[in-house]
Amino acid sequence: MTLAAAITGVGMSDIGRKTNRPAMIHLAEAARRALDCAGLTKGDIDGISTYPGKADNSPGMSPLGTGEVRNALGLKTRWHSAVPDGPSQMAPIQVAAMAVATGQARHVLCFRALTESSSQTATQRASIPGAGRARLGGWYSYLVPAKAMSASNWAGWMAQRYFHEFGMTREHLGLVATGQRAFAQQNPSAVMRTPLTMEDYLGARTISSPLGLFDCDVPIDGACVVIVSAADAAKDCAQAPLTIAAMGAALGSQESWDQRPDLTTMGAHDAAADMWTRTDLKPADVDVLGLYDGFSIFVPYWLEAMGFCGHGEAKDFIAEGNIGPGGRFPVNTGGGQLSGGRLHGFGLLHEVCTQLWGQAGGRQVDGAKVGACGMGGGFIAGSMLLRRD
Amino acid sequence: MRPLPELTPENTAFWTGGAKNKLLIAFCGDCQHAIHPPQLVCPKCWSEAVEFKPVPGTGTVYTFTVNHQPWMPDMPVPFALAVVDIDGASGVRVTAEVVNADPESIAIGQKLKVGFFNIDDVWFPQWEPAQ
Ligand SMILES: [Zn+2]
């Protein structure tokens, strides 16, 4: 089965730390580059989609909503959507795929913009849920008051339990971090490009055990745009359409980071398993992977969730050199979020598309035709297979 | 300043049971399913007969982390955060701030016991090693 949707263009702004450029400037730059990539003009865009929509509760995490982007870019849309609840940061792309498949739009501009780096000050951290609110509600009201206020704490729980059950060590996660840094050195737009050794990794300060500084992704300012097009409209674009071969969005456990019965799995396991039920493709067909790396520990979880190795086997899979430069299943070839900067998964998808179009320069995976992308950590997850026909 | 939870009909008993030194957990009156975070309707059988019952106030560390990063100004670090399987409420886990212990001494499988401290209208469960 093939969905009647494809990715036809991607664009990323000049991302960086403390750029002090407004989010809209980043967004406009990313949109211009995505249109150029697709060979489209702004008049071709008739849909717009984002995650999570404008959010004022966490500074810099989502400064732009669909309305002001439509205004600023002079877009006339037939369909628009902003998705705070859904299959992860991938939700706006999955929703756009369904919109074009049902004729709601022809070309949808999907975007993610952040000014998280500029918004971080001594007294204000963008990534603490509910920061600035008098009282907390929802799932994090059971975590944050107990001082479990950062995703690094929640990911730390997962890593600690996984280490306990399967004998993973920090060195295994170090291979994720150093491998992605080696990729980043081949990517001019990555924010962290200096060499990273295992010694550097192991010597870095602890953030939330067993996770240290280099297990955490890097807050940045920037924007990324992905254009999702109806299959027939995609044929007229400048790039070969990247057909969305399958998507996964399943979630079978509670919406909270501490409640999944087995914290050596996460929402990714539900979403990815479901994705494979909708395609004839197999993990062995995949050439390049974009796996959410808000924290290094998510990469082995996603590898297992997607079936590249069995449950508990990721440490050996990683140690065998499968995921780094030259590996059989290269992961996050642009440096990922650990070295490239946190664009909430959009950057990972951007890189997978760049690879499938053969435009990844010195880090290009030869002959890449099928890409897998998984976004999210904890209970949020969305997955996607892309195929260059 | 420590962020406080919003008190709602479904969660008030959990956050105020400490006033009587009790850890109150929501149970379904029909199927006895333990419900956490508390809900108004049993997610298992959809009964609305949800009631809070005291549990012994002990539990076992399922996993933990030692936080070293001061996320807010004047936040003393390091401190241990555990996810605790609650005795007497099968399947219920709570996020636990661990006090009165060397953070580096916390281990998976360790037994903890609850205590409470009060801010405004909230009685926070806090956990320490059970002797
Ligand atoms: Zn029930």
Side-chain angles (χ1 to χ4, degrees):
Chain A
M1 182 174 21
T2 297
L3 282 179
I7 291 175
T8 52
V10 297
M12 192 184 290
S13 70
D14 290 343
I15 65 172
R17 310 194 77 184
K18 307 260 183 216
T19 64
N20 291 314
R21 298 171 83 205
M24 192 63 80
I25 298 296
H26 281 286
L27 192 278
E29 188 171 74
R32 192 181 305 121
R33 289 172 180 171
L35 288 173
D36 286 348
C37 174
L40 296 170
T41 66
K42 81 180 174 82
D44 295 316
I45 297 297
D46 58 358
I48 188 164
S49 186
T50 192
Y51 159 94
K54 192 179 181 92
D56 56 8
N57 59 329
S58 292
M61 285 291 271
S62 189
L64 299 178
T66 60
E68 59 196 306
V69 169
R70 278 204 309 283
N71 290 348
L73 301 186
L75 299 177
K76 290 184 169 50
T77 56
R78 295 192 294 162
W79 177 86
H80 66 277
S81 173
V83 189
D85 287 337
S88 85
Q89 298 87 344
M90 187 183 277
I93 294 160
Q94 295 201 0
V95 171
M98 292 186 277
V100 298
T102 54
Q104 311 303 301
R106 299 274 287 167
H107 298 288
V108 180
L109 186 153
C110 306
F111 75 89
R112 184 85 180 99
L114 298 111
T115 51
E116 201 182 355
S117 178
S118 290
S119 299
Q120 280 192 342
T121 65
T123 57
Q124 179 169 275
R125 281 191 173 263
S127 55
I128 294 174
R133 284 193 181 161
R135 291 280 179 141
L136 306 180
W139 57 266
Y140 53 77
S141 67
Y142 295 89
L143 278 58
V144 174
K147 300 198 294 196
M149 54 181 57
S150 165
S152 63
N153 301 140
W154 318 331
W157 287 330
M158 294 164 60
Q160 192 73 50
R161 185 71 200 188
Y162 190 99
F163 280 24
H164 174 79
E165 288 198 22
F166 298 117
M168 182 178 265
T169 65
R170 286 198 29 83
E171 281 79 358
H172 294 108
L173 296 184
L175 291 173
V176 175
T178 57
Q180 291 189 190
R181 180 63 61 87
F183 278 129
Q185 291 179 263
Q186 301 293 320
N187 179 8
S189 66
V191 294
M192 307 286 273
R193 301 187 62 213
T194 55
L196 179 73
T197 66
M198 184 64 78
E199 191 179 10
D200 297 332
Y201 168 85
L202 293 172
R205 65 192 169 89
T206 303
I207 300 296
S208 193
S209 69
L211 305 178
L213 183 65
F214 294 114
D215 294 303
C216 305
D217 63 3
V218 183
I220 51 118
D221 302 332
C224 186
V225 166
V226 175
I227 297 176
V228 173
S229 303
D232 60 329
K235 293 192 181 86
D236 302 328
C237 291
Q239 307 291 343
L242 304 179
T243 297
I244 296 173
M247 307 192 296
L251 177 62
S253 58
Q254 282 202 61
E255 243 187 11
S256 184
W257 286 70
D258 59 350
Q259 294 298 322
R260 191 174 176 91
D262 179 359
L263 284 182
T264 68
T265 68
M266 59 181 186
H269 290 70
D270 304 338
D274 204 42
M275 174 184 79
W276 290 113
T277 68
R278 305 196 178 95
T279 178
D280 294 329
L281 292 168
K282 302 283 180 244
D285 297 320
V286 174
D287 302 306
V288 61
L289 290 71
L291 301 182
Y292 200 81
D293 60 340
F295 300 96
S296 58
I297 184 67
F298 294 163
V299 170
Y301 275 58
W302 268 111
L303 286 168
E304 295 180 3
M306 285 228 180
F308 290 100
C309 57
H311 191 202
E313 295 173 4
K315 69 179 201 300
D316 299 322
F317 188 80
I318 290 166
E320 288 160 9
N322 281 299
I323 70 168
R328 168 65 184 87
F329 295 102
V331 174
N332 298 343
T333 53
Q337 303 190 142
L338 297 177
S339 287
R342 179 196 305 164
L343 277 163
H344 272 136
F346 269 60
L348 308 177
L349 182 58
H350 181 287
E351 174 68 11
V352 169
C353 295
T354 301
Q355 287 280 354
L356 296 180
W357 283 319
Q359 297 167 351
R363 63 189 192 280
Q364 178 65 44
V365 175
D366 287 343
K369 294 286 184 216
V370 176
C373 190
M375 293 190 201
F379 65 79
I380 58 175
S383 60
M384 182 174 283
L385 289 174
L386 292 171
R387 190 185 65 227
R388 179 178 175 163
D389 293 317
Chain B
M1 197 186 74
R2 182 191 294 264
L4 299 175
E6 176 185 15
L7 297 191
T8 63
E10 60 265 42
N11 74 18
T12 298
F14 177 76
W15 288 119
T16 60
K20 293 178 177 169
N21 205 33
K22 289 186 189 312
L23 182 63
L24 297 178
I25 297 294
F27 287 84
C28 174
D30 286 327
C31 79
Q32 279 67 56
H33 178 61
I35 306 163
H36 190 79
Q39 306 290 341
L40 295 174
V41 175
C42 172
K44 198 169 174 186
C45 75
W46 293 9
S47 166
E48 294 173 27
V50 175
E51 56 197 12
F52 281 82
K53 294 181 195 171
V55 293
T58 55
T60 306
V61 175
Y62 171 74
T63 189
F64 70 96
T65 185
V66 180
N67 178 76
H68 288 256
Q69 178 77 22
W71 301 108
M72 305 182 92
D74 307 320
M75 175 182 251
V77 292
F79 55 87
L81 298 165
V83 178
V84 177
D85 287 320
I86 299 300
D87 292 342
S90 178
V92 169
R93 286 198 180 131
V94 300
T95 284
E97 179 184 2
V98 185
V99 298
N100 299 330
D102 174 2
E104 299 297 338
S105 73
I106 305 303
I108 287 173
Q110 183 175 6
K111 296 294 285 186
L112 300 179
K113 65 179 180 185
V114 75
F116 299 94
F117 93 97
N118 171 230
I119 305 176
D120 286 358
D121 52 1
V122 174
W123 278 259
F124 277 107
Q126 287 182 319
W127 297 75
E128 62 182 38
Q131 296 309 316

